[in-house]
C-alpha cells in the first residue's frame, strides 16, 4: 500500500488543534457578510493570499482579527461542524480540541454562546459517526494571569465537558512561570494540563512547563533538541510532544521542511505526535501533515505507524481505549 493510502486508512488521533485555526477563508467571508462586518480584504481569494507569515506574532495578528467574525451560537456551531467533517474525511477518530475563551469573551461574546455552539456540533457528529472529542480550554499568555484565573472561574458551568487547560498565543516574553498559580488551580480542580512551549521560545520555557506547570503534554516542544538533559528527561518520562510540521514551516520555526527534526526525535525514542495546529492558516489538515513528512523527510511505513500509535498513547483516552485503537492500527 502506498504510504499516502496508508495514512488515510489508519485511524488517528489529533491532539493539537485550535478550533479558531480551522476558520476557512470562505466561512470568514460568509460570516462577515452575514454580520455586516467590514474585512480588510475584498474577496475570499485575497484572504487566502494574505496567509503568509514571518513569525508566530504575524500569524496571531491575522488569526485574532479573523476570529472577530465569530459572533453567534450558529457561527461557532458551523466552525466546529466543519472541522469535525474534516475529521471524518481524514479518519481522525479521536480529537482533543483547543479553544481560546478570551478571544471571544474580550469581544463581548459570552461563554454560553460559543460553548453551546461547540457542544451542539460535537453531539451531532458523535451521534452521526461516533467521533470521540475532548475539549482543552487554552489561556492566552499575552494576557495577565489574573485574566486567566477569571476565565477559569467563568468556565465553571462547563467544567463537565472540559478535560484540560492549555496555554497558547505569543510565547516570547510570556514564560510558563507567569501562569504557575492558575495551572495549580486547574490541576486541583482535576483538569489535565498542556502548554505550548519551545515553539519559538527557548528550552528553558519547556523546563518551566514541566517543573512549574506540571504539564501532561508539551505543545510543539521542538526546541527541546537544543538541550540534551531536557531531551533525556522528556524521553525518560515519555512526556508527549504534539508537533505540527506545516505550522513550523509557515511560522518560520524551521527554514525548510527537509530540516524538521520530528523523525530524529522519534528515532531517539521521544513520544512525538503529528498534528495540524491551525490547518486553514497553514495549508493542510492532519493527513497533509503526515504526507509532507514522507515527501520532505522520507518518512517510512514503520515511522508512520509509530507516529499514529503515539497519537493514541499521548491522548487523554483511558488505557483500554488506547489499546483498542492501537490494535486497530496494527490490524491494517
Ligand atoms: N494559537 C494558535 N496557534 C498557535 C500556535 N501555533 N502557537 C501559539 N499560539 C497559537
Ligand atoms: Zn498551537
Amino acid at each position: 500500500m502506498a504510504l499516502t493510502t496508508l495514512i488515510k486508512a489508519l485511524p488517528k488521533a489529533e491532539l493539537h488543534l485550535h478550533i479558531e485555526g480551522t476558520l476557512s477563508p470562505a466561512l470568514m467571508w460568509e460570516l462577515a457578510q452575514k454580520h455586516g462586518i467590514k474585512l480588510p480584504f475584498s474577496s475570499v481569494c485575497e484572504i487566502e493570499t494574505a496567509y503568509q507569515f514571518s513569525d508566530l506574532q504575524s500569524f496571531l495578528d491575522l488569526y485574532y482579527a479573523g476570529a472577530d467574525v465569530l459572533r453567534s451560537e450558529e457561527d461557532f456551531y458551523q466552525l466546529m461542524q466543519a472541522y469535525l467533517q474534516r475529521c471524518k474525511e481524514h479518519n481522525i477518530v479521536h480529537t482533543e480540541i483547543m479553544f481560546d475563551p478570551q478571544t471571544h469573551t474580550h469581544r463581548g461574546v459570552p461563554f454560553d454562546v460559543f460553548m453551546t455552539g461547540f457542544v451542539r456540533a460535537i453531539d451531532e457528529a458523535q451521534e452521526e459517526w461516533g467521533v470521540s472529542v475532548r475539549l482543552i480550554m487554552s489561556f492566552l499568555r499575552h494576557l495577565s494571569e489574573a485574566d486567566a484565573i477569571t476565565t477559569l472561574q467563568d468556565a465553571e458551568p462547563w467544567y463537565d465537558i472540559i478535560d484540560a487547560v492549555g496555554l497558547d498565543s505569543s510565547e516570547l516574553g510570556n514564560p510558563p512561570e507567569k501562569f504557575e498559580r492558575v495551572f495549580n488551580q486547574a490541576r486541583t480542580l482535576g483538569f489535565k494540563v498542556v502548554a505550548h512551549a519551545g515553539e519559538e521560545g527557548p528550552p528553558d520555557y519547556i523546563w518551566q512547563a514541566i517543573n512549574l506547570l506540571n504539564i501532561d503534554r508539551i505543545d510543539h516542544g521542538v526546541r527541546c533538541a537544543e538541550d540534551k538533559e531536557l531531551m533525556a528527561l522528556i524521553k525518560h518520562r515519555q512526556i508527549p510532544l504534539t508537533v505540527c510540521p506545516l505550522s513550523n514551516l509557515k511560522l518560520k520555526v524551521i527554514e525548510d521542511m527537509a530540516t524538521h527534526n520530528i523523525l530524529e526525535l522519534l528515532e531517539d525514542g521521544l513520544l512525538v505526535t503529528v498534528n495540524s495546529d491551525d490547518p486553514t492558516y497553514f495549508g493542510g489538515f492532519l493527513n497533509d501533515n503526515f504526507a509532507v513528512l514522507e515527501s520532505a523527510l522520507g518518512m517510512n511505513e514503520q515511522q508512520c505507524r509509530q507516529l499514529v500509535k503515539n497519537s493514541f498513547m499521548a491522548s487523554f483516552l483511558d488505557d483500554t481505549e488506547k489499546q483498542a485503537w492501537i490494535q486497530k492500527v496494527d490490524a491494517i
Side-chain angles (χ1 to χ4, degrees):
M1 199 188 300
L3 210 47
T4 36
T5 317
L6 180 71
I7 292 165
K8 227 180 149 192
L10 293 175
K12 293 166 291 285
E14 176 151 61
L15 309 178
H16 183 162
L17 179 284
H18 302 263
I19 196 63
E20 293 86 357
T22 68
L23 178 63
S24 66
L27 185 57
M28 192 193 292
W29 186 259
E30 181 190 322
L31 297 181
Q33 306 285 104
K34 175 174 130 182
H35 296 299
I37 298 166
K38 181 117 189 56
L39 290 174
F41 310 105
S42 59
S43 67
V44 174
C45 204
E46 243 188 55
I47 305 179
E48 280 160 1
T49 330
Y51 286 4
Q52 302 296 334
F53 313 111
S54 51
D55 55 13
L56 175 59
Q57 193 58 51
S58 65
F59 153 68
L60 290 170
D61 292 344
L62 200 92
Y63 165 83
Y64 295 130
D68 188 40
V69 302
L70 298 163
R71 303 268 171 109
S72 67
E73 188 265 0
E74 179 69 19
D75 303 345
F76 291 95
Y77 164 81
Q78 269 184 277
L79 182 72
M80 182 63 83
Q81 203 251 353
Y83 168 62
L84 294 176
Q85 182 58 38
R86 292 292 191 150
C87 288
K88 193 174 177 188
E89 289 160 19
H90 285 240
N91 211 356
I92 299 168
V93 295
H94 175 72
T95 176
E96 301 185 356
I97 303 173
M98 280 180 254
F99 66 102
D100 290 339
Q102 291 149 300
T103 299
H104 313 302
T105 53
H106 278 234
R107 298 181 292 116
V109 179
F111 256 91
D112 278 5
V113 170
F114 51 86
M115 293 309 286
T116 316
F118 291 155
V119 170
R120 182 156 67 94
I122 293 167
D123 286 350
E124 258 181 39
Q126 277 173 340
E127 200 158 306
E128 188 205 323
W129 63 282
V131 62
S132 124
V133 179
R134 307 275 166 113
L135 290 176
I136 303 171
M137 176 170 76
S138 278
F139 303 122
L140 299 181
R141 66 201 305 158
H142 66 273
L143 301 176
S144 67
E145 186 184 46
D147 206 294
I149 291 172
T150 307
T151 303
L152 182 61
Q153 286 161 356
D154 291 348
E156 195 180 344
W158 303 95
Y159 281 177
D160 279 357
I161 60 149
I162 298 171
D163 267 76
V165 303
L167 188 63
D168 61 11
S169 192
S170 321
E171 188 180 8
L172 288 170
N174 295 296
E177 64 184 351
K178 182 175 158 187
F179 295 91
E180 199 177 340
R181 282 149 299 260
V182 71
F183 269 65
N184 266 336
Q185 287 180 16
R187 270 216 164 282
T188 307
L189 287 165
F191 292 108
K192 300 266 188 206
V193 303
V194 300
H196 284 53
E199 178 185 17
E200 282 190 344
D204 180 47
Y205 284 21
I206 306 179
W207 280 112
Q208 289 183 26
I210 296 171
N211 291 334
L212 303 180
L213 304 189
N214 285 303
I215 46 80
D216 294 290
R217 257 186 345 228
I218 302 272
D219 292 317
H220 295 294
V222 286
R223 287 195 60 192
C224 73
E226 294 167 29
D227 182 333
K228 291 256 170 316
E229 202 187 322
L230 177 61
M231 280 258 293
L233 177 80
I234 291 173
K235 176 179 174 177
H236 176 69
R237 289 220 221 146
Q238 288 288 286
I239 299 172
L241 303 184
T242 62
V243 179
C244 309
L246 287 173
S247 163
N248 293 156
L249 184 67
K250 274 283 196 176
L251 301 187
K252 303 205 176 350
V253 168
I254 51 164
E255 268 179 32
D256 184 337
M257 193 55 83
T259 64
H260 203 294
N261 64 0
I262 182 169
L263 295 185
E264 284 157 37
L265 298 174
L266 181 74
E267 292 300 326
D268 279 343
L270 273 68
L271 186 54
V272 288
T273 64
V274 180
N275 307 271
S276 69
D277 205 6
D278 301 285
T280 50
Y281 288 87
F282 300 149
F285 283 81
L286 186 58
N287 290 350
D288 309 303
N289 277 271
F290 273 97
V292 80
L293 299 185
E294 185 193 11
S295 59
L297 296 175
M299 174 182 71
N300 63 34
E301 179 176 338
Q302 190 267 331
Q303 291 169 325
C304 176
R305 287 181 175 277
Q306 191 60 53
L307 287 165
V308 170
K309 286 194 231 180
N310 285 358
S311 75
F312 293 107
M313 282 307 295
S315 74
F316 296 139
L317 290 170
D318 67 36
D319 285 345
T320 322
E321 292 169 307
K322 287 181 186 180
Q323 287 315 319
W325 282 117
I326 288 169
Q327 275 175 18
K328 286 193 178 142
V329 170
D330 281 335
I332 291 172

